[in-house]
Amino acid sequence: MIVWLTSSCCVSLQGINIAGSSNAETAPPANPGMYQLDITLKRGHNLAIRDRGGTSDPYVKFKIAGKEVFRSRTINKNLNPVWDERVSLLVDSLREPLYVKVFDYDFGLQDDFMGSAYLYLESLEHQRTLDVTLDLEDPQYPEHNLGTLELAVTLSPKEGDFREAVSPRCRSLSLSLSSVKSLFWLPPNHPFEQHSSMRLSDVHKKAQLWRGIVSISLIEAHDLQPMDANGFSDPYVKFRLGHQKYKSKTIPKTLNPQWREQFDFHLYEEQGGFIDITVWDKDAGKKDDFMGRCSIDLSPLSKEHTHKFDLPLEEGEGMLVLLVTLTGAAAVSISDLSVNILDDTHERHQIRQRYSVLRSFHNLKDVGVVQVKVIRSEGLMAADVTGKSDPFCVVELSNDRLQTHTVYKNLNPEWNKVFTFNVKDIHSVLEVTVYDEDRDRSADFLGKVAIPLLNIQNGERKAYALKSKELTGPTKGVIFLEIDVIFNAVKAGFMTLIPKEQKYIEDEPRVSKQLLLQNFNRVRRCILFLINAGCYINSCFEWDSTQRSICSFLVLMSLFWWCGTLKLYMIPLVLLLPLAWNYILISSGKDTRQDVVSVPVIVYVSHGFINKLYAIQDVCISVQNALDEVASYGERIKNTFNWTVPFLSWLAIVALCVATVLIYYIPLRYIVLAWGVNKFSKKLRDPYTIDNNELLDFLSRVPSDVQVVGVISSLSLSPSPTHSPLIACWPPPL
């Protein structure tokens, strides 16, 4: 039933008070098949107490048809929170009410329920903003007063442009970022072709095409509030823009931290949006302390310009210093198989010209372009009780994420979609994941493959075996892909020496006994390698092998003679020798690289309920990550010289050759002076520069043994005989 509100009326429906006024009677429009629901979550009043301190940390969830469509930020220690958050939803039916639930956030524990209410969409007047007050209730204790929520709601029918955008006749249309507001794909025999509405699970997919990139440089903070007994704090910062989240590193024991970190967000809304920023004090073994919040409104900011902000912290003390830069949209696109740029000879030639060596110093961040054809999948796992699945495919490159339409009730779906991404880092891994769509809950995982961009053989259609989430074991089914990548090697080399793009914040690290043991064994292997090398050298002195000892003696004497005339340029020249030696061995068919063991599946240990368990968890996570760091860098140094990634090995050769020439022609004293002047004057030239280490940035692109295993397991069922699988593999950190 639809209730149309006329002048100065107030309607109460099951705890919902809708107040509004109108000067003219509004006639109900014809059923448009789709509606846009704009909601502003304003504030809460007299919410329930759930914490021992007499307060709560409330946040709000919106659900439609059992699926979560929105979650607000958490307001700490407040029973009268003010959110002022906006969200736009597309709904295909007004019969499904909006279910609003409020929770109290508890770190490490299950969040406490604070009340719920329903907003019946059939009761809303169209195309007018209404102020709504929701009375929160607990179904088990309906007599309890749990407070109220204030919303502003606007319901608008979607007609004309929307129908044209999702019409099945427009599937072959090539879509551009500047003209598309939402993107949907319709499979054959989709219900929309028989009815005038789409399934709710289709319209609630996250926005996929972004309109720009927001780069945030977190510089420093001043005069923060002391939260620890020693008069200091251990501050870190959290950023949030829509569903995108970042977390900075923790600076220990300071009230004036300096981070100098950079984070990139995708901007989906044309009008900008708000970046929510919170500052926290890290506490081992207990809940982190809230230190304040602030926000940035992106709508008035001009693009292609860096803006400096000195933001005072609300609900706390001190100030944050940030730099914010808005840039234009990234070049991504989606089309049907019949419409793709690289199949057109003229377009392909233009793209090759764009990334030719002659344009190596034009826009260094534009490294290349990759086109992914998602053809079909076969033999997928049955995820539904009917023995079928509703599969769709998600393609991810770094933080860029696009997805296909859903093929319903099919274990051998055909998508025939083409995805085009800009390449910002040639060492990125292309991840293709297949999910089963569920209307009333989150999608089920069906399988995944991870393909390094440098491992791609252009224009070859291959069948990839689907793997588990951790890429450690097989799952059922294969997926057919055809991938082309065009890039500029000079730009790729330069981008290797800068910090790589950080992934969005995902799950918090958990304690894993198996992962801890695995990382320990990796460190143990590296230490044993050094011990074995020492034993080998010692055996030369002991004359265990006469031939080996004689050769070692001659080499050692030559080195002693050479050291008398040692020049600095000879050091990078010596480092070229193991690269050349391993390349000769690999070319002759003698692969000296040992096989790496399989990675065990990670099993998460549940959280404890007392502070000691929190402390033990933090210590174990620190040890676990330290072991992983040490083992990874040891393996990456080894893999640099054994040609695990030919591109990086060639890049190392070029760098070492250039270093050899420079050191040969330029006296050492001038090189040291230039390095010192550059190091000391960097902050004077640019006070907000972000420090980085080119050598560590280079090594971060070299895969560890664990990452090599994950990529090898994702390669084609029948790898090319002309390429060694290990030589071509190199994922960045998973």
Side-chain angles (χ1 to χ4, degrees), residues 373-378 461-463 478-482:
K373 295 181 181 178
V374 182
I375 312 299
R376 69 183 188 275
S377 192
E378 294 180 356
R461 183 171 298 188
K462 301 175 68 175
V478 296
I479 187 168
F480 290 85
L481 305 173
E482 183 179 330

Side-chain angles (χ1 to χ4, degrees), residues 591-619:
D591 197 343
T592 60
R593 295 162 296 187
Q594 62 179 358
D595 294 332
V596 291
V597 296
S598 299
V599 185
V601 178
I602 297 174
V603 179
Y604 290 135
V605 178
S606 60
H607 288 280
F609 296 95
I610 58 178
N611 290 337
K612 286 186 178 180
L613 290 182
Y614 283 126
I616 293 174
Q617 174 175 303
D618 288 340
V619 171

Side-chain angles (χ1 to χ4, degrees), residues 320-533:
L320 277 183
V321 180
L322 304 169
L323 298 179
V324 180
T325 305
L326 273 66
T327 58
V332 298
S333 67
I334 310 165
S335 66
D336 275 355
L337 197 60
S338 59
V339 182
N340 61 86
I341 56 175
L342 293 184
D343 282 355
D344 184 274
T345 306
H346 178 68
E347 291 282 354
R348 192 180 188 95
H349 177 72
Q350 285 189 333
I351 292 176
R352 288 193 177 277
Q353 290 293 325
R354 175 181 173 185
Y355 298 108
S356 65
V357 178
L358 299 178
R359 295 176 59 86
S360 296
F361 298 97
H362 176 74
N363 190 6
L364 288 177
K365 292 186 177 182
D366 185 15
V367 173
V369 62
V370 59
Q371 177 180 275
V372 185
K373 295 181 181 178
V374 182
I375 312 299
R376 69 183 188 275
S377 192
E378 294 180 356
L380 295 180
M381 183 183 353
D384 298 337
V385 294
T386 60
K388 299 289 185 180
S389 294
D390 303 323
F392 66 92
C393 185
V394 176
V395 184
E396 296 178 86
L397 184 65
S398 297
N399 286 320
D400 303 342
R401 182 182 187 274
L402 299 173
Q403 71 184 53
T404 68
H405 59 272
T406 301
V407 179
Y408 296 97
K409 294 180 173 51
N410 201 322
L411 299 181
N412 301 287
E414 292 192 13
W415 293 289
N416 293 323
K417 291 294 178 183
V418 180
F419 302 89
T420 305
F421 298 90
N422 252 28
V423 177
K424 294 172 282 187
D425 188 348
I426 196 59
H427 309 284
S428 300
V429 172
L430 181 71
E431 296 183 354
V432 182
T433 311
V434 182
Y435 294 96
D436 168 67
E437 181 189 283
D438 283 317
R439 179 182 177 91
D440 56 348
R441 52 194 170 93
S442 59
D444 296 325
F445 176 85
L446 296 180
K448 177 181 180 180
V449 295
I451 309 165
L453 294 185
L454 283 178
N455 191 67
I456 292 171
Q457 298 177 17
N458 286 348
E460 181 179 355
R461 183 171 298 188
K462 301 175 68 175
Y464 295 86
L466 294 175
K467 300 296 178 182
S468 62
K469 287 184 180 180
E470 297 82 16
L471 299 173
T472 56
T475 187
K476 192 175 181 181
V478 296
I479 187 168
F480 290 85
L481 305 173
E482 183 179 330
I483 312 174
D484 288 89
V485 59
I486 299 175
F487 69 97
N488 183 294
V490 177
K491 292 182 180 180
F494 277 112
M495 295 302 292
T496 304
L497 303 178
I498 69 170
K500 63 181 180 181
E501 183 178 9
Q502 182 178 352
K503 290 279 284 184
Y504 297 149
I505 287 182
E506 297 178 349
D507 295 335
E508 292 290 333
R510 308 284 184 91
V511 175
S512 170
K513 183 176 67 174
Q514 291 179 333
L515 185 59
L516 190 64
L517 180 60
Q518 172 199 329
N519 291 338
F520 174 78
N521 289 332
R522 292 166 61 194
V523 174
R524 182 171 174 269
R525 288 202 303 268
C526 292
I527 295 176
L528 287 177
F529 173 79
L530 296 177
I531 294 175
N532 292 335

Side-chain angles (χ1 to χ4, degrees), residues 175-181 208-211 270 329-333:
L175 302 172
S176 65
L177 289 169
S178 60
S179 62
V180 180
K181 293 185 177 179
Q208 297 186 39
L209 297 181
W210 47 93
R211 293 161 176 79
E270 291 182 348
V332 298
S333 67

Side-chain angles (χ1 to χ4, degrees), residues 538-578:
N538 186 65
S539 68
C540 296
F541 295 121
E542 298 292 335
W543 290 83
D544 292 342
S545 171
T546 304
Q547 181 180 1
R548 185 171 66 225
S549 297
I550 292 175
C551 294
S552 300
F553 174 77
L554 295 176
V555 170
L556 190 60
M557 291 300 99
S558 300
L559 287 176
F560 284 162
W561 179 84
W562 190 27
C563 289
T565 58
L566 181 64
K567 302 295 183 181
L568 193 59
Y569 72 87
M570 298 178 181
I571 296 177
L573 190 61
V574 170
L575 294 177
L576 289 173
L577 296 179

